[in-house]
Amino acid sequence: WFFNLISGKNYLLTSIWFALFAFLAHWKLFMLISQHFLKNKNSKFSLFFLFIPSIAFWCTGISKDVLVFIGLLSLTRHLLLWFVLKERSVKSVLWMLFYAWLLLKVREITFALLALSFVIMWLFTIVNSLKQKSLRRVLRFLIIIFSMGGMVASFSLLGLDSLLNPYLAEAEITN
């Protein structure tokens, strides 16, 4: 209803709004990564990140993919701000909750995979802060083994493969 209000139920204008929000999410994450994580400002990362096919092809028009793309990029940005850069605010929490809700409503598997990847990243951050090099190596290896084992176990034992089946069927129909 929000897009109907600002675009007057015009499909073209609504598509432009969706494309604008997708671009802004992409741009904000790119700016965050380039300002805080890139040592070499002239790297090819900029070309790769800005010109990946997602922004050009999958995020045109009005579709679930646009909302997933916006939610994924924006939630990633806010999680990086919160956990890595330690920039914490109530506004950031509200945005994280909104984007998590958006991903859960549109594609819950995307949210689950993003959450899992950030948990693994957090574990690696803790391990990398250890002083002993040999202990760091062992713990990194264990994190990788348990992460892979946990994914296999969750798919087979908990029946999470049934969660993926509708998405795979949808992808079959689409292609």
Side-chain angles (χ1 to χ4, degrees):
W1 64 268
F2 173 74
F3 289 104
N4 285 337
L5 181 67
I6 62 175
S7 65
K9 294 186 179 183
N10 185 321
Y11 180 79
L12 180 63
L13 284 177
T14 305
S15 296
I16 291 171
W17 281 110
F18 270 61
L20 174 68
F21 289 132
F23 170 75
L24 289 176
H26 201 183
W27 182 253
K28 284 183 176 187
L29 181 61
F30 168 73
M31 291 304 293
L32 177 80
I33 290 171
S34 65
Q35 289 172 354
H36 295 286
F37 300 106
L38 285 183
K39 293 178 183 170
N40 180 7
K41 300 296 180 189
N42 297 325
S43 72
K44 291 188 173 40
F45 172 79
S46 303
L47 288 173
F48 169 73
F49 192 81
L50 288 175
F51 294 108
I52 56 176
S54 297
I55 195 70
F57 300 112
W58 297 325
C59 293
T60 56
I62 303 169
S63 68
K64 284 184 186 180
D65 293 334
V66 179
L67 296 174
V68 169
F69 192 69
I70 292 168
L72 190 63
L73 293 177
S74 299
L75 186 57
T76 300
R77 178 178 171 269
H78 285 287
L79 287 170
L80 286 172
L81 283 170
W82 185 273
F83 288 107
V84 178
L85 299 176
K86 309 288 190 223
E87 294 179 18
R88 298 180 173 152
S89 67
V90 174
K91 183 175 95 171
S92 192
V93 170
L94 293 175
W95 279 117
M96 282 190 283
L97 289 173
F98 171 73
Y99 291 121
W101 171 82
L102 179 68
L103 284 174
L104 284 169
K105 285 293 185 184
V106 178
R107 290 246 162 85
E108 61 273 351
I109 191 72
T110 306
F111 175 76
L113 292 172
L114 181 66
L116 177 66
S117 66
F118 266 90
V119 167
I120 292 169
M121 184 188 77
W122 175 69
L123 290 173
F124 271 105
T125 303
I126 291 171
V127 168
N128 287 339
S129 67
L130 297 174
K131 300 284 184 215
Q132 295 130 347
K133 192 174 184 178
S134 59
L135 181 61
R136 278 196 318 251
R137 285 184 181 169
V138 169
L139 289 175
R140 286 177 189 157
F141 178 74
L142 289 175
I143 290 171
I144 291 169
I145 295 299
F146 282 118
S147 298
M148 287 184 198
M151 285 189 282
V152 169
S154 65
F155 279 107
S156 60
L157 299 175
L158 300 176
L160 290 182
D161 56 339
S162 63
L163 181 67
L164 274 180
N165 287 338
Y167 298 112
L168 295 175
E170 180 184 337
E172 271 182 33
I173 293 169
T174 303
N175 291 330

